[in-house]
Amino acid sequence: MVMMMALGRAPTLGCTQCAPVAASNPQLFHNLSGLHIARSRQVGGFPSLRCDHVLWSKESRWKRQPAIAASVAGGGSVAVSEMRARPFRILISTGDVMGDMHGAALVRALIDAAGEEKVEIEVYAMGGKRMKDEGAVLIGDNTGLSSIGLLEALPLVIPSIQIQIRTRKFLKSHPPDLVVLIDYPGINIPFGKYAKKHFGCKVVYYIPPNEWLWNTSRTGAIIDSCDAILSVYPAETAYFRKSGGLVIEVGHPLLDRYNPTQTRTQAREALGYGEKDIVILLMPASRAQELRHVWPIIASAARLLLTRILALRNHHHVHFVVPSVLPSGDQIIKQSFEDFDLTGYASVWNGDTQRLMAAADLAITKSGSVNLELALHNVPQVVVYKLDKATAWIARNVFQFAVQYISLVNLILEEQVVPEFIQDDAEPANIANAAFDLLPLSASGRRNTLLNGYSRLLPLLGKPGVVKRTAQYILDFVTTDGECRR
């Protein structure tokens, strides 16, 4: 649940570029005779200048000036690069496992796009190992400091402050030209304001908080903290535009992670499962607190579900698989297989989760982006979430937090397509019954109803190529807007 992200997440914490102009396109600049240099800070003054592969809409106000042109003898054109003292600096700020995954994809796309355009960039990151592996300079790893709730955040205060001090010290000697915020609102909203104030840089919010779904109190702060919002849903785009933000709709980056290279049969063969085996994913956690509060409920429900399947005496081979998201929690999960009498039926998976989803019949999962990933793979799911009782009480009674649904599938479609069990309703028996009804061996018809709901959801997520589009927008923004700080 995301009800108290602002309370408990860890602290997290670029100008011109000239691309060559082909001699075959002299008409692009034929109206500029007598103009020797058109600097990028004059953006918007020359609406005829555009990049061959990117044409910005008027509403975006980001005008691409790919080159500085000078008239030459014979009526041709030549590109004259404006010198820079250093590469453009782009800082990406996020703070949990999923944010690190999205950030890593963006790092790779930015480096690729910059290479194609011969633009020098340096990418810094507040996040985790994935972004570092893709080529970012990791200022601080805060993915282990993410939490939901006030009480859960208390042990993280001191390490969070230490990361913040170290990060701000680093940025003073390496001021960014542009900051990209990814989700993580409790830290990223104030950090966006800090970056604008102290470094005079542009700030872009990519994958903004889901204000349009469950909390409008921070909308103004989000818009104030950034210069542009790269939204992932159509309704989100409309919401932030109506609220006065500059919004570009890019689509959901999970579309790029979804790469169905194998059929269900092929995926099962590769993983060693039979065609008639029942493969059930148990997906409890991307945070330590979720492992404490959510996993025991899911494991208990799995035991009840197993008992019911085995009672059919149809000789089904049942496999419960837990994808490894928190390596530090793998041993806890393995030990609990014995505690919940799942030994011989359950295992921890350290491989490609996408392949695992392609082979699965069902998932019992926490709420979050994983709900959309499962929908992309057409895997029916039951959503479970539970917070510490004190945190839940504070959310309901102090912050007046209340939502009709918690899973992203239901929130986006505005109806209950996937069964979800939250807080007091998260009883193992309820979860096991709902899960059984979604299995292929069930005659309830609920599996087909859910899959039909998925078919209505997918068009709302946009089109593939999201990360590449996002990287191009960011690169164009940083290379064309104003003087850079040196």
Side-chain angles (χ1 to χ4, degrees), residues 452-464:
N452 288 335
Y454 282 173
S455 68
R456 290 183 282 114
L457 170 74
L458 299 186
L460 301 179
L461 301 182
K463 297 179 180 179

Side-chain angles (χ1 to χ4, degrees), residues 187-414:
I187 301 304
N188 271 340
I189 293 174
F191 179 66
K193 294 181 179 180
Y194 168 84
K196 288 172 67 69
K197 177 180 178 180
H198 290 273
F199 304 115
C201 61
K202 292 297 180 181
V203 178
V204 175
Y205 220 131
Y206 172 46
I207 316 177
N210 293 324
E211 300 293 296
W212 60 289
L213 290 175
W214 47 51
N215 179 10
T216 62
S217 63
R218 299 173 301 196
T219 301
I222 291 171
I223 293 172
D224 291 343
S225 69
C226 62
D227 297 279
I229 295 173
L230 302 182
S231 68
V232 298
Y233 307 109
E236 181 178 70
T237 301
Y239 173 80
F240 280 113
R241 281 181 180 164
K242 184 177 180 181
S243 301
L246 170 58
V247 189
I248 303 295
E249 184 179 327
V250 295
H252 204 292
L254 287 178
L255 290 170
D256 294 348
R257 280 176 50 81
Y258 173 60
N259 184 23
T261 57
Q262 293 183 320
T263 64
R264 178 179 180 274
T265 299
Q266 290 171 333
R268 285 181 167 238
E269 288 178 353
L271 296 172
Y273 300 133
E275 186 64 27
K276 294 184 178 181
D277 289 2
I278 297 176
V279 181
I280 302 171
L281 306 187
L282 307 178
M283 310 181 79
S286 60
R287 301 179 182 90
Q289 72 187 83
E290 292 167 339
L291 201 60
R292 292 194 303 272
H293 298 305
V294 179
W295 170 242
I297 298 171
I298 290 180
S300 181
R303 176 64 246 181
L304 294 175
L305 179 59
L306 176 63
T307 300
R308 187 168 177 182
I309 295 172
L310 295 179
L312 296 176
R313 300 185 182 279
N314 289 335
H315 305 291
H316 291 290
H317 294 286
V318 183
H319 308 273
F320 292 102
V321 190
V322 185
S324 176
V325 177
L326 289 172
S328 60
D330 286 356
Q331 192 55 44
I332 296 174
I333 290 175
K334 290 177 181 178
Q335 176 60 43
S336 68
F337 292 158
E338 182 177 342
D339 297 339
F340 288 95
D341 199 18
L342 293 171
T343 302
Y345 296 97
S347 61
V348 173
W349 172 257
N350 288 288
D352 181 8
T353 306
Q354 300 296 306
R355 177 181 292 181
L356 197 58
M357 289 184 181
D361 293 302
L362 173 72
I364 304 177
T365 177
K366 68 158 201 158
S367 62
S369 296
V370 67
N371 304 150
L372 298 183
E373 286 192 272
L374 291 165
L376 286 171
H377 286 274
N378 234 27
V379 180
Q381 60 187 293
V382 179
V383 177
V384 180
Y385 211 89
K386 190 167 187 176
L387 288 170
D388 173 84
K389 290 184 178 180
T391 297
W393 187 91
I394 292 171
R396 290 170 177 167
N397 296 281
V398 177
F399 293 95
Q400 305 298 312
F401 185 91
V403 292
Q404 187 173 6
Y405 305 114
I406 193 63
S407 71
L408 283 173
V409 173
N410 294 343
L411 281 164
I412 294 169
L413 290 174
E414 298 183 321

Side-chain angles (χ1 to χ4, degrees), residues 45-266:
F46 302 97
S48 64
L49 299 186
R50 68 181 179 91
C51 178
D52 289 340
H53 58 282
V54 178
L55 179 60
W56 297 102
S57 63
K58 291 182 180 179
E59 64 183 354
S60 76
R61 302 202 305 269
W62 300 354
K63 305 299 182 183
R64 176 74 164 153
Q65 288 183 221
I68 299 169
S71 299
V72 296
S77 295
V78 63
V80 181
S81 294
E82 184 171 342
M83 300 300 294
R84 282 185 52 83
R86 59 166 176 78
F88 295 104
R89 295 189 185 121
I90 299 174
L91 169 66
I92 301 176
S93 173
T94 189
D96 57 20
V97 172
M98 185 57 69
D100 190 40
M101 292 171 60
H102 292 318
L106 181 59
V107 170
R108 172 48 49 199
L110 280 169
I111 291 173
D112 289 346
E116 290 176 4
E117 297 195 13
K118 297 181 173 57
V119 179
E120 288 189 279
I121 65 171
E122 295 174 348
V123 183
Y124 301 98
M126 282 296 298
K129 183 178 182 295
R130 292 176 180 84
M131 282 196 277
K132 179 181 179 181
D133 289 345
E134 291 296 346
V137 176
L138 191 62
I139 302 174
D141 187 339
N142 58 5
T143 53
L145 299 179
S146 175
S147 68
I148 298 176
L150 181 60
L151 299 180
E152 292 84 350
L154 291 178
L156 308 178
V157 171
I158 292 178
S160 297
I161 292 174
Q162 291 172 337
I163 287 182
Q164 176 126 358
I165 292 172
R166 186 167 67 249
T167 298
R168 295 191 178 194
K169 181 178 179 180
F170 177 88
L171 293 180
K172 285 180 181 178
S173 59
H174 299 77
D177 296 302
L178 185 140
V179 171
V180 181
L181 310 175
I182 299 180
D183 197 11
Y184 207 49
I187 301 304
N188 271 340
I189 293 174
F191 179 66
K193 294 181 179 180
Y194 168 84
K196 288 172 67 69
K197 177 180 178 180
H198 290 273
F199 304 115
C201 61
K202 292 297 180 181
V203 178
V204 175
Y205 220 131
Y206 172 46
I207 316 177
N210 293 324
E211 300 293 296
W212 60 289
L213 290 175
W214 47 51
N215 179 10
T216 62
S217 63
R218 299 173 301 196
T219 301
I222 291 171
I223 293 172
D224 291 343
S225 69
C226 62
D227 297 279
I229 295 173
L230 302 182
S231 68
V232 298
Y233 307 109
E236 181 178 70
T237 301
Y239 173 80
F240 280 113
R241 281 181 180 164
K242 184 177 180 181
S243 301
L246 170 58
V247 189
I248 303 295
E249 184 179 327
V250 295
H252 204 292
L254 287 178
L255 290 170
D256 294 348
R257 280 176 50 81
Y258 173 60
N259 184 23
T261 57
Q262 293 183 320
T263 64
R264 178 179 180 274
T265 299
Q266 290 171 333

